[in-house]
Amino acid sequence: MNERQRARRPGGRSARVGAQVHRAVTDLISERGYGNFTVGEVAARAGVADSSVYRRWGSLETLLTDVALTRLNAQSPMPDTGSLAGDLRTYAAQVAREITGPDGLLLVRLAVALSSTGQQGLQARDALRDERTRQLRSMLDRAVERGEPAPDALDVLDHILAPMYIRVLFGMGPLTPDYVDGLVDRLL
Amino acid sequence: MNERQRARRPGGRSARVGAQVHRAVTDLISERGYGNFTVGEVAARAGVADSSVYRRWGSLETLLTDVALTRLNAQSPMPDTGSLAGDLRTYAAQVAREITGPDGLLLVRLAVALSSTGQQGLQARDALRDERTRQLRSMLDRAVERGEPAPDALDVLDHILAPMYIRVLFGMGPLTPDYVDGLVDRLL
């Protein structure tokens, strides 16, 4: 299905199948964890044919990253507040809220799972990372266009996102607003 | 067995059982990944009774963290070079080498696995983190005793260790010496 057809049928069969499959993946992740279910089980749970899943996503790894990205984009859209400090503070606070939630380590768990599933898993992990980095970079580019000096996307990853992820992973929360703002201020 | 008895029989049965069980755990982790084997399977592989494992370690979670700590302490002992900059650079370079190796994400994988196994898993994860933090803190304390200004252990975690871990997890290596030294210099 090409983009034009998809756009003409926003509530059509394709959108319905997409939602059912995403829901099946989310359920199976929370019931069994990553790495413990197959495309066949996703399809059965979603009530669609295996071939529908393969045709649309190609592999379980691509499907998993599609589900993760959809969720991340809904929960943590890149903010556009008009200033770099505002954007980074808002974004950091969003990420902090998201990763301290009940299913907060989604991205870390997914990256760990994809790293263990060979070449296809690594490619899916890289695609996920590149898409989120691209979004972050466009936020930083807007600052540069306004004439603000901006850090590199990798600096944001290293000194704002990485510390929050590792603290949550090792149970060193909570991520207080002071702590999160402090990471942003230190980078800026 | 108390410490005195253990010390009197360094190559005795207890040490042998310990080595066999550690080896069995390491093999099962590399074959199946964390979370996919039981104490019974470890004991069978090691050729010891289940009860020997439970008596000594109490739970699978405690055993997993004991194996991880033993390995970390062997591969990344805290350096003592005589200066804080030297210690931090040496330590950061060791961690970089270790986590870019074939089984480098050991700690992240273990933390993810322990986070999913209820209260006992969380306690084991916290104990692991506290022991490594304690070692790091003693290195920083030596700097303070020498009269050098030293960062907090959490700053070392946030701005030296976390970026390296997240970069490896998301396939953003290699961790070049320039990059690793840059993280240390930036913090100091």
Side-chain angles (χ1 to χ4, degrees):
Chain A
M1 174 177 290
N2 65 33
E3 285 307 308
R4 204 156 128 251
Q5 285 173 306
R6 200 191 297 267
R8 279 213 316 257
R9 301 191 307 178
R13 185 176 141 67
S14 169
R16 218 163 46 238
V17 167
Q20 281 161 226
V21 170
H22 273 224
R23 175 60 180 272
V25 169
T26 306
D27 289 350
L28 285 165
I29 290 168
S30 72
E31 285 167 28
R32 307 194 197 164
Y34 287 112
N36 299 318
F37 54 87
T38 63
V39 164
E41 288 167 317
V42 170
R45 178 76 63 113
V48 304
D50 292 17
S51 57
S52 303
V53 176
Y54 281 114
R55 201 176 324 117
R56 182 142 159 189
W57 286 279
S59 70
L60 180 60
E61 289 76 16
T62 311
L63 172 57
L64 291 175
T65 58
D66 183 34
V67 171
L69 267 177
T70 302
R71 184 182 157 143
L72 284 171
N73 292 342
Q75 290 191 341
S76 282
M78 293 290 159
D80 188 3
T81 65
S83 80
L84 179 62
D87 283 358
L88 281 178
R89 281 179 175 230
T90 305
Y91 177 58
Q94 268 174 12
V95 172
R97 206 162 37 236
E98 176 195 309
I99 67 178
T100 48
D103 192 22
L105 287 170
L106 168 95
L107 250 188
V108 170
R109 285 180 200 281
L110 177 57
V112 164
L114 292 175
S115 305
S116 321
T117 54
Q119 209 47 43
Q120 211 154 27
L122 293 176
Q123 280 169 7
R125 177 200 65 184
D126 293 351
L128 173 66
R129 171 202 71 204
D130 290 345
E131 172 57 21
R132 287 297 278 180
T133 310
R134 193 191 58 69
Q135 294 176 9
L136 177 58
R137 209 158 263 149
S138 74
M139 186 177 87
L140 299 170
D141 286 346
R142 282 200 305 273
V144 173
E145 282 159 25
R146 285 190 303 262
E148 294 185 79
D152 190 80
L154 289 177
D155 287 330
V156 175
L157 178 83
D158 280 352
H159 298 288
I160 298 180
L161 303 178
M164 294 198 291
Y165 271 107
I166 292 294
R167 285 205 177 204
V168 172
L169 182 61
F170 287 97
M172 310 171 83
L175 305 176
T176 64
D178 276 359
Y179 169 72
V180 175
D181 286 345
L183 290 174
V184 173
D185 293 343
R186 186 181 181 126
L187 181 63
L188 292 179
Chain B
M1 175 180 284
N2 65 33
E3 286 307 308
R4 206 158 128 248
Q5 285 173 307
R6 201 191 296 267
R8 279 212 319 256
R9 299 192 307 178
R13 184 174 142 66
S14 170
R16 218 164 46 237
V17 167
Q20 282 161 226
V21 169
H22 272 224
R23 174 61 178 271
V25 169
T26 305
D27 288 351
L28 284 166
I29 290 169
S30 72
E31 285 167 27
R32 307 195 199 164
Y34 286 112
N36 299 319
F37 54 88
T38 63
V39 165
E41 289 169 315
V42 171
R45 177 77 63 114
V48 304
D50 292 17
S51 58
S52 303
V53 176
Y54 281 114
R55 201 176 325 117
R56 184 143 161 187
W57 285 278
S59 71
L60 180 61
E61 289 76 16
T62 312
L63 172 57
L64 292 174
T65 57
D66 183 35
V67 170
L69 267 178
T70 302
R71 184 182 157 145
L72 285 171
N73 292 342
Q75 290 191 341
S76 284
M78 293 289 158
D80 188 2
T81 64
S83 79
L84 178 62
D87 283 358
L88 281 177
R89 281 180 176 230
T90 306
Y91 177 58
Q94 268 174 13
V95 171
R97 204 161 39 235
E98 176 196 308
I99 67 178
T100 47
D103 193 21
L105 287 170
L106 168 94
L107 251 187
V108 170
R109 285 180 200 284
L110 176 58
V112 164
L114 292 175
S115 305
S116 321
T117 54
Q119 209 48 42
Q120 211 154 29
L122 293 176
Q123 279 169 9
R125 177 200 65 183
D126 293 351
L128 172 66
R129 171 202 70 203
D130 290 346
E131 172 57 21
R132 287 297 279 180
T133 309
R134 193 190 59 70
Q135 294 177 7
L136 177 58
R137 209 158 263 149
S138 75
M139 186 177 87
L140 299 170
D141 286 347
R142 283 200 305 275
V144 172
E145 282 159 24
R146 285 190 303 261
E148 295 185 76
D152 190 79
L154 289 178
D155 288 329
V156 174
L157 178 82
D158 280 351
H159 297 288
I160 298 181
L161 302 178
M164 294 198 291
Y165 271 106
I166 292 296
R167 286 207 177 201
V168 171
L169 182 60
F170 286 97
M172 309 170 83
L175 305 175
T176 65
D178 274 358
Y179 170 72
V180 176
D181 285 346
L183 291 174
V184 173
D185 292 345
R186 185 181 182 126
L187 180 63
L188 291 179

